Amino acid sequence: MKVYKSFLEIEHDLKVLKLQNQIDREQVKLSLNEVKTSFSPVSMIAGTVGAIAQKTLVLKAVNSILGVKRVKVKNIEGED
């Protein structure tokens, strides 16, 4: 426990603690806004579309590297 020798020391530490409290509150506000933004419908749709596009590109790249081609299957009875 800190022992203070004057009221000036106490006031100084109180000011520092008050400023730290304000900083912490602002950080919480920023974090809350980031969470709200990341869970917004537009953001979620954009993330989903981006993930699908990325997987599609990776799949095409792997297929082209491995030489995999799509094969059309014909019905044995002659029906298309």
Side-chain angles (χ1 to χ4, degrees):
M1 183 173 183
K2 185 174 181 177
V3 177
Y4 294 98
K5 296 179 183 175
S6 70
F7 283 108
L8 287 176
E9 289 179 5
I10 295 172
E11 288 176 5
H12 176 265
D13 281 357
L14 285 174
K15 284 181 184 178
V16 168
L17 289 172
K18 197 177 213 179
L19 288 172
Q20 286 175 342
N21 189 358
Q22 289 175 349
I23 290 169
D24 290 341
R25 286 177 187 233
E26 291 301 318
Q27 286 177 333
V28 168
K29 286 180 188 176
L30 287 173
S31 295
L32 183 61
N33 284 335
E34 288 175 7
V35 168
K36 284 181 181 178
T37 301
S38 66
F39 283 111
S40 72
V42 172
S43 188
M44 292 179 86
I45 290 170
T48 303
V49 169
I52 291 170
Q54 182 181 13
K55 287 180 182 180
T56 302
L57 290 174
V58 169
L59 185 60
K60 284 185 178 184
V62 168
N63 285 342
S64 67
I65 290 171
L66 297 177
V68 177
K69 296 180 182 177
R70 286 187 167 202
V71 178
K72 228 180 193 181
V73 178
K74 289 188 174 183
N75 192 342
I76 297 176
E77 297 173 9
E79 297 176 10
D80 288 79

